[in-house]
């Protein structure tokens, strides 16, 4: 590292020299893993461009309509491109989908009917979905209130327990839910191969069951997506991976045409479906974000690896482990104390370009069971493809690190968080 860099880190950004040395030394541990990430990035970059070309994307598509939004060719083009990239019949991609939770809630409530059963096979779903399903918190408007039943089968050794899943299937099981990413748990993300194996086993047992994948945080981590290995319907957020840090808002649902239509009807109204809905001029940023996403995701994953390498070297348990195949952008670190989680998150906040002076505090976020501390200073509010960290204040005090639009920014986040822990005497460098 040259003197200019050391100077700005020490003098302007307040990092101790020992921390700079420590982080740069641990960076050597990730070199070979970075190569594979870059190969995946390269493939996905070409894939996205090839699909934009195949769809005949043109600058004309960046115009937009008003009122009902009938005949918005840009909206239709963005949806066509999403369906090509994710290898599905159809797609719903809208800036008016407020979040990943909204995209998933539309998917569940659009497809399931009273008396149907939803079976989650990756253990308890992401916190916010538990309220959607009606198994936690205030269940007003939940699936349970509409007479949709729910069951779950836990993972065993971080794998889908196929035998128990097949036993749990009954005549009402209409949909099986698979969550690819870690969420707020201590398991690693499921790989595409594992998801594909589970789907094959379920489909050979019963072809009619709809397989739904929550792909949040998983996009562009591998050569394939869950829809390449048999998922019928899949949803995610545009302020995570596929928005590339550029999309202002939005969510996507991709999958079988009949299912996407049911979701579209829930999102607007019966009879309207996909044919209405304004883009408010967001088509260009939605697609530019998708274009950048493979690159941005690779930067974020490299950052996650660095976090993993640094904290593993300090003796903390990390999820995923350094040698695990990555299938989401999250790096969990078991920090074992409330103070460490808080200092870690404050360090990430202090590394932000935006709102670096804010002190994050644990608060009761809507949709979450425990208090959560969140660190994020994004150009897009709440965008977790940007450098961010959070931790629910519960044992064993995991901090979840994710995002970062550039690797250097990720690295600054590592410096800052480690520096905080070091200065408070909460870690031992040797
Ligand atoms: C982020 C996420 C969601 C949805 O979260 P939003 O904050 O509503 O976008 C759902 N499932 C998983 C696994 C997630 O990581």
């Amino acid at each position: 590292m040259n003197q200019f860099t050391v100077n700005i880190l020490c003098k302007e950004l307040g990092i101790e020299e020992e921390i700079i040395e420590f982080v740069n030394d641990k960076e050597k541990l990730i070199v070979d893993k970075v190569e594979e990430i870059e190969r995946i990035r390269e493939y996905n970059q070409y894939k996205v461009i090839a699909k934009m070309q195949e769809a005949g994307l043109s600058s004309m598509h960046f115009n937009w309509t008003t009122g009902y939004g009938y005949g918005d060719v840009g909206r239709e083009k963005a949806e066509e491109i999403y369906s090509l990239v994710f290898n599905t019949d159809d797609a719903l991609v809208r800036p008016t989908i407020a979040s990943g939770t909204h995209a998933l809630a539309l998917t569940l409530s659009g497809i399931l009917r009273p008396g149907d059963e939803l079976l989650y096979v990756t253990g308890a779903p992401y916190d916010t979905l538990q309220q959607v399903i009606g198994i936690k918190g205030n269940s007003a408007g939940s699936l349970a209130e509409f007479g949709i039943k729910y069951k779950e089968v836990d993972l065993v050794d971080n794998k889908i327990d196929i035998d128990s899943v097949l036993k749990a299937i009954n005549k009402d099981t209409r949909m099986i839910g698979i969550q690819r990413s870690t969420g707020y748990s201590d398991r690693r993300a499921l790989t595409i191969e594992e998801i594909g194996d589970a789907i094959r086993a379920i489909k050979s047992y019963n072809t009619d069951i709809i397989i739904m994948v929550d792909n949040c945080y998983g996009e562009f981590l591998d050569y394939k997506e869950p829809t390449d290995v048999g998922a019928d319907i899949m949803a995610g957020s545009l302020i995570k991976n596929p928005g590339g840090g550029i999309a202002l808002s939005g969510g996507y649902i991709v999958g079988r045409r009949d299912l996407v239509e049911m979701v579209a009807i829930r999102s607007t109204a019966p009879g309207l479906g996909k044919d209405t809905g304004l883009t408010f001029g967001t088509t260009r940023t939605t697609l530019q974000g998708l274009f950048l996403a493979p690159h941005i995701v690779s930067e974020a994953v490299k950052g996650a690896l660095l976090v993993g390498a640094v904290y593993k070297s300090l003796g903390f348990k990390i999820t995923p482990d350094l040698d695990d195949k990555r299938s989401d952008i999250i790096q969990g670190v078991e920090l074992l104390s409330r103070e460490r989680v808080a200092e870690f998150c404050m360090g990430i906040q202090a590394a932000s370009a935006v709102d670096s002076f804010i002190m994050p505090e644990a608060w009761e976020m809507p949709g979450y069971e425990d208090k959560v501390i969140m660190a994020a200073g994004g150009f897009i509010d709440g965008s977790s493809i940007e450098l961010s960290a959070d931790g629910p204040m519960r044992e064993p005090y995991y901090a979840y690190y994710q995002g970062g639009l550039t690797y250097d920014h990720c690295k600054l986040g590592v410096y800052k968080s480690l520096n905080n822990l070091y200065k408070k005497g909460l870690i031992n460098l040797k």
Side-chain angles (χ1 to χ4, degrees):
M1 179 168 291
N2 75 24
Q3 204 51 47
F4 286 107
T5 313
V6 173
N7 284 351
I8 194 166
L9 280 172
C10 292
K11 302 212 176 87
E12 292 190 43
L13 293 161
I15 312 294
E16 306 287 324
E17 292 225 39
E18 307 86 287
I19 296 295
I20 298 174
E21 239 170 76
F22 188 83
V23 170
N24 281 278
D25 183 50
K26 301 312 165 207
E27 197 177 32
K28 294 179 197 136
L29 296 170
I30 68 169
V31 173
D32 58 325
K33 296 174 177 66
V34 164
E35 282 173 16
E36 172 62 3
I37 289 168
E38 292 182 342
R39 280 192 288 273
I40 292 170
R41 176 204 69 206
E42 188 177 10
Y43 167 77
N44 281 312
Q45 183 69 79
Y46 299 149
K47 175 165 91 172
V48 166
I49 295 171
K51 301 307 178 186
M52 287 180 171
Q53 293 178 351
E54 184 181 335
L57 180 63
S58 138
S59 57
M60 159 193 104
H61 295 121
F62 304 146
N63 294 321
W64 55 296
T65 57
T66 55
Y68 292 110
Y70 289 133
D72 184 324
V73 290
R75 184 188 68 214
E76 288 164 8
K77 194 53 71 182
E79 292 181 338
E80 181 187 346
I81 289 167
Y82 258 75
S83 68
L84 289 170
V85 165
F86 289 102
N87 189 20
T88 57
D89 304 336
D90 207 353
L92 184 72
V93 183
R94 301 291 163 116
T96 45
I97 296 177
S99 65
T101 305
H102 187 192
L104 287 154
L106 286 174
T107 305
L108 298 174
S109 58
I111 297 171
L112 295 166
R113 295 291 178 269
D116 285 349
E117 186 168 279
L118 166 67
L119 175 63
Y120 246 76
V121 300
T122 45
Y126 191 74
D127 292 47
T128 57
L129 289 176
Q130 299 184 15
Q131 284 201 33
V132 171
I133 295 165
I135 49 176
K136 242 184 203 176
N138 173 5
S139 71
S142 69
L143 298 180
E145 208 177 64
F146 286 88
I148 293 159
K149 294 175 284 180
Y150 175 76
K151 265 211 300 245
E152 69 194 29
V153 173
D154 283 331
L155 295 172
V156 173
D157 294 335
N158 213 121
K159 294 207 163 53
I160 295 176
D161 177 2
I162 290 294
D163 289 343
S164 303
V165 170
L166 298 185
K167 277 192 204 114
I169 292 173
N170 61 61
K171 64 172 184 14
D172 294 331
T173 313
R174 174 127 169 86
M175 181 187 278
I176 281 186
I178 296 176
Q179 178 182 308
R180 177 177 180 178
S181 159
T182 299
Y184 280 153
S185 73
D186 58 359
R187 61 136 168 130
R188 62 168 176 76
L190 295 179
T191 64
I192 293 296
E193 210 182 3
E194 290 165 333
I195 292 171
D197 288 348
I199 294 176
R200 260 190 308 283
I202 294 162
K203 288 280 182 182
S204 60
Y205 182 80
N206 181 337
T207 46
D208 295 336
I209 292 180
I210 297 160
I211 311 276
M212 189 284 297
V213 175
D214 172 354
N215 203 34
C216 282
Y217 282 137
E219 298 88 357
F220 304 124
L221 262 287
D222 207 332
Y223 297 97
K224 289 183 177 177
E225 297 291 340
T227 39
D228 287 309
V229 294
D232 297 301
I233 191 96
M234 180 167 90
S237 163
L238 299 200
I239 59 169
K240 291 182 178 173
N241 306 13
I246 298 285
L248 292 177
S249 162
Y252 75 89
I253 293 104
V254 292
R256 243 167 58 190
R257 193 175 308 282
D258 59 323
L259 301 177
V260 171
E261 185 57 25
M262 291 170 94
V263 177
I265 285 168
R266 177 56 57 233
S267 79
T268 56
L272 303 183
K274 284 182 67 182
D275 296 331
T276 56
L278 278 201
T279 58
F280 299 94
T282 55
T283 302
R284 186 177 56 78
T285 42
T286 295
L287 290 173
Q288 190 178 8
L290 183 67
F291 168 82
L292 288 170
H295 182 83
I296 300 293
V297 166
S298 76
E299 296 290 282
V301 184
K302 287 189 268 179
L305 270 170
L306 182 65
V307 172
V310 162
Y311 283 88
K312 187 184 167 84
S313 301
L314 291 166
F316 294 103
K317 184 182 157 210
I318 58 166
T319 308
D321 208 338
L322 272 191
D323 290 330
D324 287 339
K325 179 158 175 46
R326 301 222 159 211
S327 196
D328 68 14
I329 63 167
I330 302 173
Q331 181 64 61
V333 184
E334 192 188 83
L335 288 172
L336 301 168
S337 83
R338 190 179 285 267
E339 295 92 315
R340 287 204 194 95
V341 171
E343 290 297 332
F344 181 95
C345 290
M346 284 191 256
I348 297 296
Q349 185 78 37
S352 300
V354 183
D355 291 335
S356 62
F357 45 84
I358 285 178
M359 281 285 178
E361 254 179 57
W363 62 298
E364 276 164 43
M365 276 185 68
Y368 293 83
E369 265 297 286
D370 301 276
K371 280 192 174 181
V372 182
I373 183 165
M374 294 226 157
F379 290 93
I380 306 279
D381 204 22
S383 167
S384 37
I385 186 63
E386 295 191 50
L387 183 68
S388 50
D390 43 51
M393 286 302 184
R394 65 185 177 215
E395 300 226 339
Y397 296 103
Y398 251 86
Y400 298 92
Y401 165 98
Q402 65 268 314
L405 301 181
T406 71
Y407 176 70
D408 297 317
H409 191 202
C410 299
K411 194 168 170 185
L412 181 61
V414 176
Y415 284 134
K416 276 280 187 191
S417 57
L418 198 64
N419 204 63
N420 269 1
L421 290 164
Y422 181 62
K423 282 169 66 178
K424 288 272 157 85
L426 296 168
I427 49 160
N428 198 339
L429 286 188
K430 282 284 142 358

